[in-house]
Amino acid sequence: MKYTTATVLTVGLLLSACSTVKHMPAKEGNIMNQDTQQIAGKPDLTAPEVLTKVLDFLRYAKSPEDFKMEVAGKMMDLTLLERKDGYSDFYISNKFGNSGWSWSINFKKTQYGNGRMDLFFGNGGSRIPATPICQMDLDRFHPLLEQAGFTYTGKGRLGKPFNGYEKKYPNGYEADLQVFYQGESEEKVQHDCINSISFLIFKPGI
């Protein structure tokens, strides 16, 4: 979909009327779910709540120094866990009940000193509908990213199709953001659901 000003305004009005996402000024901290049950490393969140926690981090992270377990945990109001298998530095994950879907968010510092965060919704490779992760679809998430300062750069494909975004920070760092998506089901292939997100903050030229 080609995003226009009218699209963003329309979606923004719909969100303000019916979305479960609650917005507060940055000075008031993270933006929702202060009463969410916090089980270390496995909080019981819905798909929109997971995406909102990720959005918190996308909004406030400004350099690789923010990719520390304590810092990221405060930004997202989550208790993150150290990971020792080498896949990432720290993470958080859980299942969406018995729906067959799960989610995970992993953070790491790369060998070049960059910061990387990856969100993944998974179903073990089965062909079940993606309805449990479609409660905030691609078009509803897009204007929230623009409000967070990201610029839409177009579509691409790396295994799955994605929307690309970028952001430049006053401290000289830049960010690349890829939001991957898939059809909800064989019957609703045109309904795009967010499948994963890859976020990288880096210093140009390094």
Side-chain angles (χ1 to χ4, degrees), residues 1-205:
M1 170 179 289
K2 181 178 180 180
Y3 293 106
T4 65
T5 301
T7 301
V8 172
L9 289 175
T10 300
V11 176
L13 289 172
L14 289 172
L15 279 170
S16 65
C18 63
S19 174
T20 57
V21 179
K22 301 176 182 177
H23 297 279
M24 298 189 303
K27 66 180 181 180
E28 294 183 23
N30 291 327
I31 61 178
M32 72 176 293
N33 304 322
Q34 300 301 317
D35 59 348
T36 298
Q37 181 183 8
Q38 293 297 307
I39 302 174
K42 292 187 176 298
D44 186 16
L45 302 178
T46 64
E49 289 171 340
V50 172
L51 287 169
T52 299
K53 295 295 186 181
V54 169
L55 185 64
D56 282 341
F57 187 76
L58 296 178
R59 178 181 290 113
Y60 299 122
K62 295 177 174 61
S63 80
E65 292 303 307
D66 293 320
F67 289 74
K68 295 178 180 179
M69 189 160 62
E70 297 79 7
V71 177
K74 288 181 180 179
M75 289 181 179
M76 303 171 77
D77 192 26
L78 292 172
T79 302
L80 306 175
L81 298 178
E82 182 181 1
R83 189 156 186 164
K84 299 180 179 179
D85 60 4
Y87 183 79
S88 66
D89 297 332
F90 54 95
Y91 77 106
I92 189 167
S93 66
N94 206 354
K95 298 179 180 179
F96 292 118
N98 58 2
S99 68
W101 284 90
S102 62
W103 60 273
S104 64
I105 308 172
N106 284 273
F107 301 80
K108 69 182 301 182
K109 285 279 196 71
T110 72
Q111 60 179 326
Y112 302 107
N114 302 324
R116 183 183 178 109
M117 180 200 72
D118 293 284
L119 163 70
F120 180 69
F121 292 123
N123 61 11
S126 61
R127 296 181 60 84
I128 58 176
T131 303
I133 66 169
C134 270
Q135 301 168 56
M136 185 191 296
D137 62 22
L138 190 69
D139 288 342
R140 295 179 66 194
F141 196 57
H142 169 80
L144 300 181
L145 291 174
E146 291 199 324
Q147 291 170 17
F150 288 90
T151 300
Y152 177 66
T153 58
K155 294 187 177 295
R157 188 177 186 92
L158 288 171
K160 290 182 179 294
F162 68 85
N163 277 1
Y165 300 84
E166 65 180 12
K167 187 174 182 178
K168 300 181 187 299
Y169 304 91
N171 59 11
Y173 284 97
E174 296 183 7
D176 281 337
L177 177 66
Q178 296 170 333
V179 180
F180 293 84
Y181 56 92
Q182 66 180 79
E184 179 178 352
S185 64
E186 292 182 359
E187 295 76 20
K188 299 180 179 180
V189 293
Q190 300 302 320
H191 182 197
D192 293 328
C193 310
I194 296 171
N195 175 268
S196 61
I197 292 175
S198 179
F199 175 55
L200 180 72
I201 286 185
F202 61 96
K203 180 78 77 171

